[in-house]
Amino acid sequence: MTVENVSELVDATDSTEVPAPVADTDIERALEAILMVADEPMSIVTLATAVGAPVKRVRQAIDVLVEDFDGNAPGGSVRRGFELREVGGGWRVYVRAEYDQVVAGYVLQQNPTKLSQAALETLAVIAYKQPISRGAIASIRAVNVDSVVRTLLGRGLITELFTDSETGAINYGTTDLLLTQLGINSVDELPKISPLLADGAEGFDADVR
């Protein structure tokens, strides 16, 4: 076996070998395929590495896909039931808002395990009032929230932000996973609460998003 043959064998069996770059004309379709199976937002750099293309070219391709999915492609396209959205510092395919109810109904039939009402209420308090301690959450909800907070921590929806130096109380906040699940970039995009309150609660949004 020649030196050249040994080199070829090593190259063929190297598990760290970088995938061959995708042809420029196929980048949009390659990115579409990757995004369809991604279970979390993909950054431009990660996508560029995956297809072996320059970041600038991938940004252009993402813009093309957004237009294509929205039905606004120059050559003409059909508006899809999903959209490509930038969330949490990356790109991911999401169901369009107008089809949320249909998809939610299907998902509930397939996977009925959801957060309890108590967990949802506690999560809402944390999302709007973070950073917030367990005692403050319990005060707002007027119930013990120890088990619910543990559940939310276990699901990865909240995290321990810091410990108060004076009281020793742990303060909690939401995670990027929650932002991803909600399809938003930050908690600043959460809807205002005051319009949902029966009495209007003027000024409520000054303290709560």
Side-chain angles (χ1 to χ4, degrees), residues 17-140:
E17 183 179 359
V18 177
V22 175
D24 187 75
T25 54
D26 294 331
I27 287 179
E28 282 80 9
R29 299 288 74 86
L31 290 173
E32 180 179 10
I34 292 172
L35 289 164
M36 283 295 181
V37 299
D39 58 1
E40 61 183 18
M42 306 283 287
S43 70
I44 292 292
V45 173
T46 299
L47 291 170
T49 301
V51 298
V55 169
K56 182 178 180 180
R57 174 66 180 92
V58 171
R59 289 186 187 278
Q60 294 173 342
I62 289 294
D63 290 338
V64 170
L65 288 177
V66 170
E67 293 295 307
D68 184 16
F69 294 173
D70 288 347
N72 299 322
S77 60
V78 177
R79 189 169 186 267
R80 316 288 182 84
F82 51 84
E83 62 182 333
L84 187 55
R85 194 188 309 167
E86 187 175 16
V87 173
W91 291 87
R92 187 181 179 190
V93 174
Y94 286 89
V95 173
R96 289 194 184 278
E98 56 263 43
Y99 303 115
D100 276 348
Q101 187 173 357
V102 174
V103 175
Y106 170 76
V107 171
L108 285 174
Q109 291 177 353
Q110 300 300 313
N111 181 22
T113 303
K114 297 293 180 181
L115 289 175
S116 66
Q117 185 64 31
L120 290 173
E121 291 174 1
T122 300
L123 182 57
V125 171
I126 296 172
Y128 280 95
K129 299 290 287 184
Q130 62 185 306
I132 185 171
S133 68
R134 190 174 304 190
I137 300 169
S139 177
I140 292 174

Side-chain angles (χ1 to χ4, degrees), residues 6 92 97 118 132-133 138 145 151 161 166 168 171 195 200 204:
V6 171
R92 187 181 179 190
I132 185 171
S133 68
V145 297
T151 295
L161 297 178
E166 295 184 1
N171 279 255
F204 190 73

